[in-house]
PDB file of all heavy atoms in Angstrom:
ATOM      1  N   TYR A 272      13.780 -19.378   3.150  1.00 97.00           N
ATOM      2  CA  TYR A 272      14.773 -20.356   2.691  1.00 97.00           C
ATOM      3  C   TYR A 272      14.473 -21.722   3.297  1.00 97.00           C
ATOM      4  O   TYR A 272      13.697 -21.847   4.248  1.00 97.00           O
ATOM      5  CB  TYR A 272      16.187 -19.892   3.036  1.00 97.00           C
ATOM      6  CG  TYR A 272      16.530 -19.857   4.510  1.00 97.00           C
ATOM      7  CD1 TYR A 272      17.271 -20.887   5.091  1.00 97.00           C
ATOM      8  CD2 TYR A 272      16.141 -18.802   5.315  1.00 97.00           C
ATOM      9  CE1 TYR A 272      17.605 -20.859   6.443  1.00 97.00           C
ATOM     10  CE2 TYR A 272      16.466 -18.763   6.660  1.00 97.00           C
ATOM     11  CZ  TYR A 272      17.196 -19.790   7.222  1.00 97.00           C
ATOM     12  OH  TYR A 272      17.509 -19.753   8.552  1.00 97.00           O
ATOM     13  N   PHE A 273      15.116 -22.732   2.740  1.00 97.00           N
ATOM     14  CA  PHE A 273      14.904 -24.113   3.183  1.00 97.00           C
ATOM     15  C   PHE A 273      16.074 -24.571   4.046  1.00 97.00           C
ATOM     16  O   PHE A 273      17.159 -23.991   3.998  1.00 97.00           O
ATOM     17  CB  PHE A 273      14.744 -25.031   1.965  1.00 97.00           C
ATOM     18  CG  PHE A 273      13.469 -24.771   1.218  1.00 97.00           C
ATOM     19  CD1 PHE A 273      13.423 -23.817   0.214  1.00 97.00           C
ATOM     20  CD2 PHE A 273      12.312 -25.464   1.532  1.00 97.00           C
ATOM     21  CE1 PHE A 273      12.244 -23.554  -0.468  1.00 97.00           C
ATOM     22  CE2 PHE A 273      11.131 -25.209   0.850  1.00 97.00           C
ATOM     23  CZ  PHE A 273      11.102 -24.248  -0.153  1.00 97.00           C
ATOM     24  N   ARG A 274      15.834 -25.626   4.782  1.00 94.00           N
ATOM     25  CA  ARG A 274      16.855 -26.104   5.713  1.00 94.00           C
ATOM     26  C   ARG A 274      18.124 -26.519   4.960  1.00 94.00           C
ATOM     27  O   ARG A 274      18.075 -26.889   3.787  1.00 94.00           O
ATOM     28  CB  ARG A 274      16.319 -27.283   6.527  1.00 94.00           C
ATOM     29  CG  ARG A 274      15.983 -28.507   5.723  1.00 94.00           C
ATOM     30  CD  ARG A 274      15.545 -29.630   6.648  1.00 94.00           C
ATOM     31  NE  ARG A 274      15.432 -30.882   5.922  1.00 94.00           N
ATOM     32  CZ  ARG A 274      14.310 -31.308   5.359  1.00 94.00           C
ATOM     33  NH1 ARG A 274      13.211 -30.592   5.434  1.00 94.00           N
ATOM     34  NH2 ARG A 274      14.296 -32.457   4.699  1.00 94.00           N
ATOM     35  N   ASN A 275      19.232 -26.403   5.658  1.00 94.00           N
ATOM     36  CA  ASN A 275      20.558 -26.729   5.127  1.00 94.00           C
ATOM     37  C   ASN A 275      21.021 -25.783   4.014  1.00 94.00           C
ATOM     38  O   ASN A 275      21.962 -26.092   3.288  1.00 94.00           O
ATOM     39  CB  ASN A 275      20.612 -28.164   4.590  1.00 94.00           C
ATOM     40  CG  ASN A 275      20.270 -29.178   5.671  1.00 94.00           C
ATOM     41  OD1 ASN A 275      20.529 -28.948   6.841  1.00 94.00           O
ATOM     42  ND2 ASN A 275      19.657 -30.283   5.283  1.00 94.00           N
ATOM     43  N   ARG A 276      20.319 -24.642   3.858  1.00 94.00           N
ATOM     44  CA  ARG A 276      20.749 -23.681   2.839  1.00 94.00           C
ATOM     45  C   ARG A 276      21.139 -22.338   3.471  1.00 94.00           C
ATOM     46  O   ARG A 276      21.130 -21.300   2.803  1.00 94.00           O
ATOM     47  CB  ARG A 276      19.632 -23.462   1.798  1.00 94.00           C
ATOM     48  CG  ARG A 276      19.650 -24.368   0.550  1.00 94.00           C
ATOM     49  CD  ARG A 276      19.756 -25.774   0.804  1.00 94.00           C
ATOM     50  NE  ARG A 276      19.853 -26.623  -0.396  1.00 94.00           N
ATOM     51  CZ  ARG A 276      19.817 -27.951  -0.322  1.00 94.00           C
ATOM     52  NH1 ARG A 276      19.703 -28.572   0.840  1.00 94.00           N
ATOM     53  NH2 ARG A 276      19.916 -28.668  -1.423  1.00 94.00           N
ATOM     54  N   GLN A 277      21.520 -22.364   4.758  1.00 91.00           N
ATOM     55  CA  GLN A 277      21.858 -21.112   5.447  1.00 91.00           C
ATOM     56  C   GLN A 277      23.072 -20.427   4.825  1.00 91.00           C
ATOM     57  O   GLN A 277      23.141 -19.198   4.764  1.00 91.00           O
ATOM     58  CB  GLN A 277      22.184 -21.368   6.933  1.00 91.00           C
ATOM     59  CG  GLN A 277      21.004 -21.763   7.769  1.00 91.00           C
ATOM     60  CD  GLN A 277      20.823 -23.274   7.797  1.00 91.00           C
ATOM     61  OE1 GLN A 277      21.187 -23.969   6.858  1.00 91.00           O
ATOM     62  NE2 GLN A 277      20.242 -23.781   8.859  1.00 91.00           N
ATOM     63  N   THR A 278      24.031 -21.214   4.375  1.00 91.00           N
ATOM     64  CA  THR A 278      25.255 -20.620   3.829  1.00 91.00           C
ATOM     65  C   THR A 278      24.929 -19.761   2.612  1.00 91.00           C
ATOM     66  O   THR A 278      25.407 -18.633   2.486  1.00 91.00           O
ATOM     67  CB  THR A 278      26.242 -21.730   3.443  1.00 91.00           C
ATOM     68  OG1 THR A 278      26.358 -22.609   4.555  1.00 91.00           O
ATOM     69  CG2 THR A 278      27.611 -21.165   3.122  1.00 91.00           C
ATOM     70  N   SER A 279      24.112 -20.282   1.737  1.00 94.00           N
ATOM     71  CA  SER A 279      23.716 -19.489   0.569  1.00 94.00           C
ATOM     72  C   SER A 279      22.808 -18.339   0.964  1.00 94.00           C
ATOM     73  O   SER A 279      22.785 -17.302   0.285  1.00 94.00           O
ATOM     74  CB  SER A 279      22.979 -20.374  -0.447  1.00 94.00           C
ATOM     75  OG  SER A 279      23.851 -21.336  -0.984  1.00 94.00           O
ATOM     76  N   ALA A 280      22.054 -18.494   2.038  1.00 94.00           N
ATOM     77  CA  ALA A 280      21.125 -17.436   2.473  1.00 94.00           C
ATOM     78  C   ALA A 280      21.868 -16.128   2.730  1.00 94.00           C
ATOM     79  O   ALA A 280      21.356 -15.040   2.458  1.00 94.00           O
ATOM     80  CB  ALA A 280      20.375 -17.872   3.725  1.00 94.00           C
ATOM     81  N   ARG A 281      23.087 -16.250   3.214  1.00 91.00           N
ATOM     82  CA  ARG A 281      23.900 -15.049   3.467  1.00 91.00           C
ATOM     83  C   ARG A 281      24.113 -14.222   2.202  1.00 91.00           C
ATOM     84  O   ARG A 281      24.291 -13.009   2.257  1.00 91.00           O
ATOM     85  CB  ARG A 281      25.286 -15.450   3.986  1.00 91.00           C
ATOM     86  CG  ARG A 281      25.369 -15.735   5.438  1.00 91.00           C
ATOM     87  CD  ARG A 281      26.780 -16.150   5.786  1.00 91.00           C
ATOM     88  NE  ARG A 281      27.700 -15.019   5.825  1.00 91.00           N
ATOM     89  CZ  ARG A 281      28.953 -15.060   5.377  1.00 91.00           C
ATOM     90  NH1 ARG A 281      29.435 -16.137   4.811  1.00 91.00           N
ATOM     91  NH2 ARG A 281      29.740 -14.016   5.487  1.00 91.00           N
ATOM     92  N   LEU A 282      24.156 -14.886   1.070  1.00 93.00           N
ATOM     93  CA  LEU A 282      24.532 -14.205  -0.168  1.00 93.00           C
ATOM     94  C   LEU A 282      23.539 -13.116  -0.568  1.00 93.00           C
ATOM     95  O   LEU A 282      23.865 -12.236  -1.356  1.00 93.00           O
ATOM     96  CB  LEU A 282      24.678 -15.224  -1.309  1.00 93.00           C
ATOM     97  CG  LEU A 282      25.613 -16.407  -1.031  1.00 93.00           C
ATOM     98  CD1 LEU A 282      25.663 -17.347  -2.223  1.00 93.00           C
ATOM     99  CD2 LEU A 282      27.019 -15.908  -0.685  1.00 93.00           C
ATOM    100  N   PHE A 283      22.312 -13.204  -0.039  1.00 95.00           N
ATOM    101  CA  PHE A 283      21.328 -12.175  -0.391  1.00 95.00           C
ATOM    102  C   PHE A 283      21.559 -10.870   0.376  1.00 95.00           C
ATOM    103  O   PHE A 283      20.961  -9.847   0.041  1.00 95.00           O
ATOM    104  CB  PHE A 283      19.903 -12.695  -0.151  1.00 95.00           C
ATOM    105  CG  PHE A 283      19.504 -13.765  -1.133  1.00 95.00           C
ATOM    106  CD1 PHE A 283      19.347 -15.074  -0.726  1.00 95.00           C
ATOM    107  CD2 PHE A 283      19.311 -13.454  -2.470  1.00 95.00           C
ATOM    108  CE1 PHE A 283      18.995 -16.065  -1.634  1.00 95.00           C
ATOM    109  CE2 PHE A 283      18.956 -14.431  -3.387  1.00 95.00           C
ATOM    110  CZ  PHE A 283      18.802 -15.742  -2.970  1.00 95.00           C
ATOM    111  N   MET A 284      22.360 -10.936   1.420  1.00 92.00           N
ATOM    112  CA  MET A 284      22.733  -9.741   2.180  1.00 92.00           C
ATOM    113  C   MET A 284      21.506  -8.988   2.709  1.00 92.00           C
ATOM    114  O   MET A 284      21.510  -7.761   2.774  1.00 92.00           O
ATOM    115  CB  MET A 284      23.586  -8.805   1.322  1.00 92.00           C
ATOM    116  CG  MET A 284      24.838  -9.473   0.784  1.00 92.00           C
ATOM    117  SD  MET A 284      25.940  -8.328  -0.030  1.00 92.00           S
ATOM    118  CE  MET A 284      24.919  -7.700  -1.312  1.00 92.00           C
TER     119      MET A 284
END
Side-chain angles (χ1 to χ4, degrees):
Y272 68 100
F273 292 88
R274 64 176 190 268
N275 301 330
R276 268 51 184 187
Q277 290 90 331
T278 310
S279 294
R281 277 178 76 219
L282 307 179
F283 290 110
M284 303 188 300

